């Protein structure tokens, strides 16, 4: 399987015949996650689901950023501890993942559970001359000591679309792009705290460590976590494009400098943005649709269909119309599956499912092209529709199984709805009326069925009832 590697700018083969280690940047837990975040997490959930379906073992690790300026700010605004904010939104994040059927992550690792690993890595960077101290500010990474800084994003300065709200501003830095590894407390730490290992002062959570009291910078948690679980080198690192610079660039600089081994990661996979209007959907701009608000209007299947119908690297311009169209597409597949359930014919199968399977796999093996894979399913539906009078029950059964299984990889359910007895009886009475050519009366019953949220479709194979 080939995947586009941001580092090389080319599609590259995934390592074969061995388990893969995947790390994806997890959420900063200070607010409800939005459907932009979900775009990235569902894309990777689909990717892992596909790899596992091909028999490839994937160890999928995600961090949880539970110490950060934004969490501290939120805690102060709500007069609660930052840990309470982080705990609350971490729980909400997992609930939202469940609602969206995301279940492929093997291990979630909180930044605050890895303070010793973070300190160890910073100490190595200090020893090797990559980090320096600024009194009253913290320890910083000196980007001039890492000659390859910029190799992932092909630049060393920020641009408008970066996750820049977390750029470290310090005025005494050696280089403008230097970033914080360890941040000293903003307020004085009273003597009574010195025997303690953790304190919250003026809303800021701080740890007592060999580097002094303080808290980690944003980038260091990821490499401390991945080194602990995967070692200094691993296979795939994911996140959305906003994280390429400076976040992922910083990760490379930290880990490759600390271990002396490169590359940190074989393949860097970046998802495109989910846009809202012309802009990237983001929590900090306040312009976002939370996962919860989306799910009040539409189903998880609709969200997952939207994601699968876009290439993971392409932007998605989110509008309600997109969700409505996705719903219609899912319904059209359900309609097709309901219709072919009426096929009774025996005889030689007419449809070559293996041909579709080959195209489906080829599409996904080529940089995980999910829209192309979805189009293969529609090609199969089109062929079956064209041959609807000649296909056999065997064709119908295998097409139904195949389509449900393939959409199941993207966790889009196309289960045929259970039709209540009352509706089935109305449909049966309508049929009798039609057989007796009492069309006016049968039309009245059709309207009644529609008013109850169902619709009747008279296909060449017979009548089907669907949810409207
Ligand atoms: P955050 O909680 O802001 O740290 O973001 C968590 C994850 O969601 C990261 O991988 C981000 O790159 C990703 N992300 C944030 N906003 C968007 C967006 N609008 N579209 C796609 N991915 C996003």
């Amino acid at each position: 399987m080939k995947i586009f590697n941001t580092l090389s700018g080319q599609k590259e083969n995934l390592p074969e015949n061995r388990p893969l280690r995947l790390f994806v940047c997890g959420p900063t837990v200070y607010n409800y996650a939005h459907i932009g975040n979900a775009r990235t997490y569902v894309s990777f959930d689909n990717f892992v689901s596909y790899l596992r379906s091909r028999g490839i073992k994937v160890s999928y690790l995600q961090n949880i950023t539970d110490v950060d300026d934004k969490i501290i700010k939120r805690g102060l605004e709500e007069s609660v501890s930052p840990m309470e904010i982080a705990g609350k939104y971490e729980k909400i994040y997992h609930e939202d993942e469940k609602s969206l059927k995301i279940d492929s992550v093997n291990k979630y690792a909180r930044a605050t559970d890895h303070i010793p690993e973070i300190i160890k890595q910073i100490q190595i960077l200090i020893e090797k001359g990559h980090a320096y101290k600024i009194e009253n500010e913290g320890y910083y990474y000196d980007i001039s000591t890492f000659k390859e800084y910029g190799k992932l994003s092909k630049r060393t300065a920020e641009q408008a679309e970066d996750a820049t709200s977390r750029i470290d501003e310090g005025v005494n830095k050696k280089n403008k792009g230097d970033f914080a590894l360890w941040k000293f407390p903003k307020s004085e730490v009273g003597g009574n705290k010195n025997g303690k290992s953790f304190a919250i002062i003026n809303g800021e959570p701080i740890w007592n460590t060999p580097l002094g009291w303080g808290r980690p910078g944003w980038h260091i948690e990821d490499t401390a976590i991945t080194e602990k679980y995967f070692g200094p080198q691993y296979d795939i690192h994911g996140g959305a494009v906003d994280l390429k610079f400076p976040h992922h660039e910083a990760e490379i600089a930290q880990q490759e400098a600390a271990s002396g081994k490169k590359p940190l990661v074989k393949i860097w996979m970046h998802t495109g943005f989910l846009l809202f209007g012309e802009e990237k959907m983001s929590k900090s701009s306040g312009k976002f649709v939370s996962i919860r608000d989306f799910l009040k209007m539409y189903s998880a299947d609709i969200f997952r269909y939207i994601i699968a119908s876009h290439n993971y690297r392409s932007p998605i311009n989110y509008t309600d119309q997109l969700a409505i169209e996705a719903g219609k597409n899912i319904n059209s597949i359900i309609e097709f599956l309901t219709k072919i359930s009426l096929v009774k014919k025996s005889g030689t199968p007419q449809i070559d499912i293996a041909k579709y399977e080959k195209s489906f796999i080829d599409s996904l093996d080529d940089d995980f092209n999910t829209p192309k894979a979805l189009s293969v399913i529609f090609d199969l539906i089109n062929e079956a529709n064209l041959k609807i009078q000649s296909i056999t029950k065997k064709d119908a059964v295998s097409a139904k199984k195949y389509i449900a299984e393939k959409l199941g990889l993207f966790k889009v359910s196309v289960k045929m709805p259970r039709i209540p007895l009352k509706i089935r009886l109305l449909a049966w009475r309508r049929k009798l009326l039609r057989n007796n050519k009492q069309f006016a009366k049968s039309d009245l019953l059709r309207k009644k069925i529609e008013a109850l949220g169902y619709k009747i479709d008279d296909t060449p194979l017979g009548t089907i009832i669907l949810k409207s």
Side-chain angles (χ1 to χ4, degrees):
M1 177 176 192
K2 281 191 188 316
I3 287 292
F4 182 84
N5 182 6
T6 311
L7 187 63
S8 64
Q10 282 171 359
K11 289 182 193 172
E12 286 180 27
N13 281 322
L14 280 189
E16 271 174 28
N17 306 322
R18 65 169 175 80
L20 296 178
R21 290 154 301 171
L22 164 72
F23 174 75
V24 174
C25 290
T28 306
V29 279
Y30 72 102
N31 205 342
Y32 287 93
H34 56 69
I35 55 173
N37 304 128
R39 190 267 158 106
T40 292
Y41 298 129
V42 167
S43 297
F44 283 102
D45 191 57
N46 282 339
F47 178 58
V48 173
S49 158
Y50 175 64
L51 291 176
R52 289 184 180 148
S53 79
R54 300 288 311 277
I56 301 167
K57 281 209 173 78
V58 184
S59 178
Y60 180 3
L61 173 65
Q62 211 177 81
N63 70 309
I64 302 280
T65 303
D66 60 345
V67 49
D68 182 81
D69 290 350
K70 293 176 194 169
I71 301 174
I72 296 170
K73 185 165 170 264
R74 187 82 198 241
L76 288 169
E77 280 164 8
E78 295 189 13
S79 304
V80 295
S81 93
M83 296 343 231
E84 203 174 307
I85 296 288
K88 172 180 166 186
Y89 288 104
E90 182 185 332
K91 186 165 168 276
I92 287 172
Y93 171 66
H94 292 310
E95 286 167 6
D96 288 347
E97 281 188 306
K98 201 165 170 209
S99 313
L100 288 173
K101 308 193 236 184
I102 296 172
D103 61 3
S104 53
V105 180
N106 297 99
K107 165 92 190 156
Y108 296 94
R110 292 186 196 105
T112 59
D113 289 337
H114 296 81
I115 300 295
E117 289 81 358
I118 288 171
I119 295 296
K120 198 175 124 212
Q121 211 171 64
I122 300 173
Q123 284 173 323
I124 293 173
L125 290 171
I126 297 170
E127 273 163 33
K128 291 193 168 186
H130 293 285
Y132 62 96
K133 183 177 178 179
I134 303 180
E135 284 305 331
N136 301 322
E137 286 191 33
Y139 282 91
Y140 279 79
Y141 191 99
D142 178 350
I143 58 166
S144 70
T145 65
F146 188 73
K147 296 291 169 243
E148 292 176 290
Y149 192 71
K151 67 179 169 181
L152 176 73
S153 54
K154 324 293 181 244
R155 59 191 166 94
T156 54
E158 307 101 64
Q159 286 176 358
E161 75 275 18
D162 299 329
T164 46
S165 55
R166 285 181 273 202
I167 297 292
D168 302 310
E169 294 299 351
V171 279
N172 297 313
K173 292 190 298 185
K174 288 188 183 171
N175 312 287
K176 190 170 181 295
D178 290 355
F179 51 86
L181 297 166
W182 189 250
K183 296 179 175 182
F184 293 145
K186 291 207 166 64
S187 321
E188 276 292 309
V189 183
N192 64 333
K193 295 277 187 299
N194 273 337
K196 307 218 163 101
S197 56
F198 174 73
I200 298 177
I201 300 185
N202 292 334
E204 185 180 23
I206 47 170
W207 286 260
N208 192 2
T209 75
L211 297 179
W213 280 96
R215 61 186 167 98
W218 175 33
H219 314 300
I220 195 76
E221 71 183 68
D222 288 18
T223 47
I225 286 169
T226 53
E227 186 172 26
K228 173 168 179 180
Y229 298 100
F230 290 163
Q233 293 181 291
Y234 57 98
D235 304 298
I236 313 167
H237 188 317
V241 278
D242 58 335
L243 299 185
K244 261 197 274 184
F245 190 90
H247 188 49
H248 293 161
E249 206 68 70
E251 281 187 53
I252 294 177
Q254 289 167 171
Q255 187 64 67
E256 292 189 3
S259 69
K261 291 187 178 150
K262 58 183 187 182
L264 159 64
V265 167
K266 181 166 163 42
I267 291 188
W268 287 86
M269 262 178 101
H270 287 107
T271 47
F273 284 145
L274 185 127
L275 304 167
F276 198 30
E278 297 293 297
E279 280 174 53
K280 171 201 166 200
M281 186 171 281
S282 79
K283 280 182 268 189
S284 41
S285 72
K287 286 184 192 151
F288 67 89
V289 178
S290 70
I291 295 170
R292 288 184 180 210
D293 282 344
F294 179 92
L295 291 175
K296 278 182 201 149
M297 304 269 293
Y298 311 106
S299 66
D301 292 313
I302 288 183
F303 189 74
R304 299 211 53 135
Y305 188 93
I306 294 174
I307 301 306
S309 61
H310 288 80
N311 192 294
Y312 77 92
R313 290 200 280 136
S314 311
I316 300 179
N317 222 322
Y318 178 73
T319 56
D320 278 327
Q321 197 51 34
L322 200 61
I324 292 164
E325 287 304 321
K328 280 188 190 158
N329 282 329
I330 295 175
N331 284 343
S332 76
I333 298 171
I334 294 175
E335 189 169 335
F336 166 77
L337 297 177
T338 313
K339 185 170 76 182
I340 56 166
S341 300
L342 301 178
V343 171
K344 296 277 173 335
K345 230 175 159 185
S346 56
T348 326
Q350 307 281 305
I351 297 177
D352 180 8
I353 296 279
K355 177 183 85 185
Y356 290 103
E357 173 66 353
K358 184 176 178 314
S359 306
F360 188 85
I361 301 246
D362 286 349
S363 309
L364 295 182
D365 279 0
D366 180 14
D367 197 22
F368 199 52
N369 193 337
T370 52
K372 200 159 168 214
L374 273 188
S375 75
V376 172
I377 291 174
F378 282 102
D379 288 345
L380 165 59
I381 293 176
N382 285 341
E383 184 187 350
N385 269 331
L386 282 173
K387 298 179 176 168
I388 199 74
Q389 299 293 1
S390 61
I391 58 171
T392 66
K393 189 165 173 75
K394 253 194 181 151
D395 286 317
V397 169
S398 48
K400 264 172 75 174
K401 186 166 167 278
Y402 183 73
I403 290 169
E405 193 183 294
K406 295 297 129 180
L407 289 171
L409 279 180
F410 308 134
K411 301 186 190 143
V412 175
S413 160
V414 282
K415 256 204 223 125
M416 291 183 281
R418 217 189 56 78
I419 308 295
L421 183 63
K422 180 179 174 186
I423 305 292
R424 280 185 282 145
L425 282 175
L426 285 172
W428 179 71
R429 275 175 48 206
R430 172 183 170 268
K431 190 175 165 197
L432 291 183
L433 289 167
R434 273 170 65 87
N435 289 349
N436 290 331
K437 305 213 177 328
Q438 292 179 276
F439 296 117
K441 280 187 178 167
S442 79
D443 271 355
L444 281 178
L445 279 188
R446 173 197 279 273
K447 290 209 173 85
K448 193 166 176 186
I449 290 168
E450 283 170 359
L452 292 167
Y454 292 83
K455 66 175 187 180
I456 295 265
D457 191 1
D458 298 310
T459 79
L461 297 172
T463 299
I464 56 173
I465 314 169
L466 300 158
K467 261 193 156 161
S468 53

